[in-house]
Amino acid sequence: MRNFGAQIKAPEMHRLVPLLLLSLLFACGKKQIPEATQQNQASAKADAEIAQISLRKDISLEGNVSIIPKPALLIQNPGSFKIHPELAIYYNSPEAKPAAELFNDLYKKATGKTLLISENTEPAGRKNGIYFNIEDIKDNKPEAYKLFSAHTYAKLSANQGAGLFYAVQSLRQLMPPAFNLQDGNMPDEWEMPAVSITDAPRFSWRGMLLDCSRHFMDKDFVKRYIDLLAFHKMNTLHWHITEDQGWRIAIDQYPKLTEIGAWREGENGKPYGGFYTKEDIREIVAYADERHINVVPEIEMPGHSQAALAAYPEYSCTGGPFKVETEWGVFREIYCAGNEQTFEFLFKVLDEVMELFPSPWIHLGADEVPKYRWEHCDKCQARIKNEGLKDEHELQAYFLRRVADHLLANGRTIIGWDEILDGDLPDGAIVQSWRGMDGARKAIEAGHQAIVSPTSHAYFDYDVKAIDLQKVYSFKPIPEGITGRNSLMILGGECNMWTERAPQEKVDSKVFPRILAMSEVLWTPEKYRNYNDFYFRVQHHYKQLDAMEVDYGFETLPVRFDAKMQNDGQLKLDLIPGGQDVEILYQLAESQEPIKFTDPLLLNKSAEIVAQAKKDSKNYGEPASLRFDKHLANAKIPIIQKKYSESYTGGGATALTNGLRGSLDFRDGNWQGYQLHDLDCTIDLGSLQNISKIESSYYQYNNSWIFFPTEVTYYTSVDGQEYKKLEQNVNDTPARQRGKSIKSFAVETDPQQARYIKVVAKNIGTCPDWHEAAGGHAWLFVDEIIIQ
């Protein structure tokens, strides 16, 4: 019945016009006004030729000038710069030569031809050519650069080679998109806007985490992402290559790490996985270095290590045996901190890691470490006693300090997720804050540097309904309250591409276009950023991504429901399209013909609404649905004894009475979460009502420590003082049951009068002994309390 017509995916929308035609149209677009301060204009005077033109007047930034991330200062000069076979390339020093050769190589890959290239130490003049100069540009940042182009020549200048490299990336983005097709059959003459750019990054650490452990990814795919990062001026690949589900790096002294640890049982029963040889890693690291990207390996410890322990179980607390994990989640098998041979093993592994990766930093993970095995391990308990440690948290700090000291002795510094703050931080340790921004704030208070990648804005494995393009762009890497010199302790940030549910073929649609927002957040000074301006440039940038064959996803949900409970118990529902050129058709019943949405709906009875976004008269994305339950408690604010988690509010105070039901995605915004605590709430209906049924729904997904309540009990009261127990619903679904499920606990009774309804749902408390995270604080998730 819900037939909305043919489908078209988001990436296809920008591929309907051939790229060569797009290149011809590229010079069209609306005007923008540059954001240039007097200080920025003063720095642009360093080059006399640039100053002569750029200070002539404030020239509007035309729509055909689109660079992501946005430069600190960009002024469009009159006319354009033409690149043709007679144009020569000049560089003034050996350090400038790689950037000159890079551009020549790009020209060759596009056209099949090369330009004349030679060293020229004389200052750039008006002679036809492109000049690559290492010189003092009055900015001490190593990645700063200037780019000037006029009718007959262009000049790229920087303090160091990294700056020239980024100048080339800006030059590439100024070129028509077809230049980046790189098929060798493009025309040999190109035209780009004449510009004056003075630019430097806001943060020195601009990274992306790529998880190749949950799903192995081809060497060429990793190299492709290095190219994409470089194109957007990102300078760090945080490479997650060990996990419970797979060990991906060859270690000569421990061959079983890849013989056993790199493979798990696939869905078809066949081995699934892979690993990188040392030759592969050297090739990838060298490839990244040429593109001014530092590769930081993450070797997880003491947790997230079951793949390693499947290969060498003697370094666990129990001796195994174990298998490489096939499920997602947090598991209790971790390295034994009481076994001295564990440290010998890890030191030898890290010695080989350091041979492969010149990075000054080695990431040790150290997140989500269940302490169950340590609590029940004689060796670990002896270690706690002998070292004078208080508990297992201090044992983890001891563990990390031992490893950090080994790395420090070899000139390396550790990075760890913010759980490393639970004990004394090793010297020089850098904290990566992922559970919000508090980790970064605490790190600074302890005198340590921090990298920020909170789940709220930086987790690109999350769906766009949780983190869309605009939300990423709103990210503020400096925690609130951190000012002055303390703000310099924030090195920068990362976007994290965890891959539990994103094998290689899905990564593009998760990362793009959201990484465009993150690149600009980390590069461009905050005062120069504006989302509307950014959004306009993104629309142009899709043509560049098409040329680079990026299979990008949606900017936001094609249809988003904005539901607001009114005081009278009605639901005001707005349907928000995921784009300026998107319209929405909706149905309130299967028998109803789709209706074009124009104004907010007011629902006063139970209903399910199905909406379909349309773009160019074709379906844009999948249909979206929302269920609303009308009942007596709508709009009433429950009194809750122990507040819900700020991470899972479900919508706040009225989440349990707003009539909105949760889906199998516990991050959909409708589930309210309670960790360790019970749900104990009372609802005042405002007056005596006839009650015949009370119902509440709960969620279970034990991989994420979420369990059904052990029991749910309902009570009624006339006066709010004396309560009558109606019935106790005991859960009969095993806590061991895998998968995601929703269960309703209901009680029906003969009609009786009551004003107050009390609901008590018992949290299982901690993950059971059989659970991979035994002893961890369990979650209880509830979406609605329905009273009829």
Side-chain angles (χ1 to χ4, degrees):
M1 295 296 295
R2 293 167 182 165
N3 181 14
F4 290 94
Q7 286 284 347
I8 185 165
K9 295 189 295 184
E12 296 171 348
M13 298 309 303
H14 298 283
R15 296 179 180 145
L16 301 177
V17 183
L19 279 167
L20 287 177
L21 177 59
L22 289 175
S23 299
L24 296 175
L25 296 174
F26 190 60
C28 300
K30 62 183 181 180
K31 294 184 177 181
Q32 296 172 294
I33 304 300
E35 298 174 70
T37 63
Q38 293 181 352
Q39 180 180 359
N40 286 331
Q41 289 188 357
S43 66
K45 296 179 182 178
D47 185 289
E49 183 67 20
I50 293 176
Q52 180 182 352
I53 294 181
S54 66
L55 295 180
R56 189 175 300 158
K57 62 177 181 177
D58 255 352
I59 302 169
S60 295
L61 176 60
E62 298 288 345
N64 61 333
V65 178
S66 176
I67 297 176
I68 294 176
K70 182 179 183 179
L73 169 67
L74 188 157
I75 297 176
Q76 186 167 347
N77 299 325
S80 60
F81 172 57
K82 295 180 174 60
I83 300 174
H84 50 81
E86 289 73 36
L87 201 69
I89 294 176
Y90 302 99
Y91 59 91
N92 74 342
S93 69
E95 190 176 358
K97 185 177 180 180
E101 291 179 331
L102 169 63
F103 183 78
N104 204 18
D105 184 58
L106 292 168
Y107 182 81
K108 181 180 179 180
K109 287 178 179 177
T111 68
K113 300 178 181 180
T114 59
L115 303 176
L116 179 66
I117 182 170
S118 64
E119 187 170 2
N120 177 12
T121 58
E122 297 299 318
R126 290 185 176 274
K127 184 178 178 181
N128 284 2
I130 306 178
Y131 293 81
F132 293 81
N133 286 3
I134 294 293
E135 60 189 24
D136 184 6
I137 63 168
K138 312 302 181 186
D139 190 320
N140 61 7
K141 290 184 177 179
E143 297 171 310
Y145 71 91
K146 291 187 178 182
L147 191 163
F148 168 78
S149 61
H151 181 64
T152 60
Y153 84 102
K155 177 185 175 183
L156 291 70
S157 53
N159 298 313
Q160 297 182 23
L164 279 186
F165 178 83
Y166 292 128
V168 172
Q169 305 313 309
S170 290
L171 194 66
R172 290 178 68 188
Q173 292 195 31
L174 289 169
M175 299 287 281
F179 182 77
N180 288 309
L181 280 172
Q182 304 286 289
D183 66 359
N185 295 313
M186 292 292 103
D188 57 12
E189 293 191 6
W190 296 86
E191 187 172 359
M192 55 169 270
V195 296
S196 299
I197 295 175
T198 300
D199 200 12
R202 181 184 180 194
F203 292 101
S204 62
W205 191 290
R206 306 178 304 280
M208 171 183 159
L209 178 148
L210 183 61
D211 173 9
C212 293
S213 293
R214 269 58 177 249
H215 289 285
F216 178 73
M217 298 182 188
D218 298 338
K219 175 182 67 175
D220 288 342
F221 181 84
V222 177
K223 292 168 68 175
R224 173 176 174 265
Y225 256 83
I226 289 169
D227 283 327
L228 290 170
L229 290 174
F231 188 67
H232 298 97
K233 301 186 177 73
M234 304 285 270
N235 65 1
T236 302
L237 174 63
H238 175 171
W239 201 10
H240 190 80
I241 48 177
T242 73
E243 250 301 342
D244 295 305
Q245 294 80 16
W247 180 283
R248 307 297 179 206
I249 174 175
I251 301 296
D252 292 339
Q253 296 180 80
Y254 298 99
K256 287 192 289 185
L257 285 171
T258 48
E259 291 171 2
I260 296 174
W263 308 93
R264 66 177 183 263
E265 183 180 348
E267 292 180 358
N268 57 5
K270 296 180 180 180
Y272 177 85
F275 65 94
Y276 304 99
T277 66
K278 288 194 169 183
E279 291 72 22
D280 290 336
I281 292 173
R282 291 189 183 99
E283 180 181 335
I284 288 169
V285 170
Y287 191 85
D289 184 62
E290 291 173 356
R291 289 151 182 79
H292 296 274
I293 288 179
N294 183 44
V295 182
V296 178
E298 181 174 357
I299 311 298
E300 280 271 17
M301 62 184 74
H304 287 288
S305 53
Q306 190 161 320
L309 294 175
Y312 294 96
E314 59 266 35
Y315 304 124
S316 71
C317 289
T318 66
F322 312 113
K323 67 174 184 177
V324 178
E325 189 53 61
T326 58
E327 298 283 348
W328 315 126
V330 177
F331 305 97
R332 61 182 173 183
E333 307 306 339
I334 65 177
Y335 290 121
C336 180
N339 184 353
E340 196 61 25
Q341 291 181 338
T342 300
F343 293 99
E344 295 175 10
F345 163 76
L346 291 172
F347 294 165
K348 290 177 181 178
V349 167
L350 290 171
D351 287 345
E352 293 194 33
V353 170
M354 288 186 283
E355 290 175 4
L356 295 169
F357 294 92
S359 168
W361 306 279
I362 305 293
H363 205 302
L364 299 183
D367 61 312
E368 298 176 326
V369 182
K371 306 300 191 295
Y372 181 85
R373 288 301 189 202
W374 287 355
E375 291 168 352
H376 297 83
C377 173
D378 291 341
K379 290 182 180 179
C380 290
Q381 292 303 308
R383 177 81 76 183
I384 290 173
K385 180 179 179 180
N386 294 338
E387 297 292 337
L389 307 175
K390 291 181 181 179
D391 54 23
E392 288 74 22
H393 292 285
E394 288 200 359
L395 179 60
Q396 179 169 335
Y398 165 86
F399 184 106
L400 292 175
R401 192 161 52 250
R402 288 278 306 269
V403 178
D405 288 345
H406 180 77
L407 292 174
L408 197 61
N410 287 274
R412 310 299 178 95
T413 299
I414 75 158
I415 304 172
W417 299 105
D418 55 37
E419 284 94 333
I420 67 174
L421 289 160
D422 292 344
D424 292 334
L425 286 170
D427 292 343
I430 297 172
V431 176
Q432 185 159 2
S433 187
W434 71 281
R435 297 176 299 178
M437 300 293 278
D438 282 346
R441 191 177 291 106
K442 291 176 180 177
I444 293 172
E445 291 172 356
H448 287 254
Q449 295 173 316
I451 301 161
V452 288
S453 57
T455 57
S456 58
H457 295 78
Y459 270 47
F460 287 3
D461 56 316
Y462 288 12
D463 194 270
V464 291
K465 62 187 168 187
I467 303 174
D468 63 11
L469 184 70
Q470 187 167 7
K471 185 165 187 179
V472 178
Y473 199 78
S474 71
F475 179 42
K476 296 181 184 297
I478 304 296
E480 187 176 351
I482 300 299
T483 59
R485 294 187 62 84
N486 281 342
S487 65
L488 301 178
M489 301 291 280
I490 300 295
L491 297 178
E494 290 181 1
C495 48
N496 295 346
M497 186 59 245
W498 301 106
T499 59
E500 286 94 334
R501 293 164 187 85
Q504 180 172 303
E505 64 271 14
K506 291 186 178 181
V507 171
D508 273 12
S509 63
K510 289 283 192 179
V511 172
F512 287 91
R514 292 185 286 187
I515 196 172
L516 306 181
M518 186 61 76
S519 74
E520 188 148 309
V521 165
L522 297 175
W523 179 280
T524 307
E526 185 175 5
K527 61 183 177 181
Y528 297 149
R529 292 198 293 110
N530 174 276
Y531 182 74
N532 290 333
D533 164 64
F534 168 73
Y535 182 83
F536 173 74
R537 284 180 286 115
V538 167
Q539 307 316 303
H540 280 279
H541 200 77
Y542 282 130
K543 303 162 193 174
Q544 298 281 8
L545 297 181
D546 288 336
M548 302 171 82
E549 298 184 341
V550 175
D551 190 22
Y552 45 85
F554 294 109
E555 298 161 359
T556 188
L557 284 177
V559 178
R560 183 166 63 85
F561 296 108
D562 183 16
K564 291 184 172 62
M565 176 58 61
Q566 308 299 294
N567 291 334
D568 61 1
Q570 297 187 94
L571 187 75
K572 184 178 181 181
L573 182 62
D574 199 2
L575 278 59
I576 301 174
Q580 298 176 359
D581 53 351
V582 175
E583 67 175 13
I584 298 173
L585 301 182
Y586 72 93
Q587 293 172 280
L588 282 172
E590 289 194 5
S591 60
Q592 181 190 63
E593 288 297 316
I595 302 170
K596 182 178 179 180
F597 178 80
T598 55
D599 298 305
L601 308 175
L602 203 59
L603 303 180
N604 56 15
K605 61 181 180 180
S606 296
E608 182 174 1
I609 183 168
V610 179
Q612 173 68 62
K614 294 277 187 176
K615 193 169 186 178
D616 296 334
S617 300
K618 295 183 179 181
N619 287 355
Y620 185 55
E622 300 294 329
S625 63
L626 179 140
R627 174 181 166 185
F628 170 62
D629 286 312
K630 177 66 178 170
H631 56 87
L632 293 174
N634 287 146
K636 309 303 182 186
I637 300 178
I639 300 173
I640 299 172
Q641 296 303 313
K642 290 188 177 179
K643 193 179 179 183
Y644 46 82
S645 166
E646 289 299 325
S647 298
Y648 300 101
T649 68
T654 60
L656 304 184
T657 57
N658 61 9
L660 302 180
R661 307 304 296 271
S663 68
L664 284 175
D665 178 5
F666 66 85
R667 297 190 183 99
D668 67 7
N670 291 321
W671 290 101
Q672 194 168 86
Y674 297 78
Q675 191 172 27
L676 190 63
H677 304 306
D678 300 333
L679 167 68
D680 186 341
C681 73
T682 303
I683 299 172
D684 181 358
L685 299 176
S687 62
L688 289 174
Q689 302 287 337
N690 285 322
I691 307 299
S692 59
K693 184 179 180 180
I694 307 173
E695 177 185 2
S696 53
S697 296
Y698 302 85
Y699 187 95
Q700 179 161 297
Y701 181 46
N702 57 31
N703 290 49
S704 293
W705 308 10
I706 307 170
F707 297 87
F708 287 142
T710 58
E711 61 186 40
V712 180
T713 308
Y714 299 106
Y715 304 82
T716 61
S717 174
V718 173
D719 57 7
Q721 301 297 319
E722 295 185 5
Y723 281 85
K724 175 185 177 182
K725 181 178 177 180
L726 293 184
E727 188 176 319
Q728 186 178 69
N729 280 239
V730 178
N731 176 42
D732 58 2
T733 300
R736 285 179 178 267
Q737 179 175 294
R738 291 296 188 181
K740 301 175 181 179
S741 54
I742 299 171
K743 184 172 184 176
S744 175
F745 291 74
V747 58
E748 296 189 40
T749 181
D750 293 333
Q752 58 179 277
Q753 286 202 323
R755 173 175 172 174
Y756 299 91
I757 306 296
K758 185 175 182 179
V759 182
V760 178
K762 292 290 185 179
N763 191 319
I764 196 172
T766 58
C767 296
D769 287 350
W770 54 262
H771 193 270
E772 299 84 358
H777 293 175
W779 287 90
L780 182 148
F781 272 47
V782 57
D783 71 340
E784 187 76 7
I785 298 173
I786 299 174
I787 303 174
Q788 297 172 335

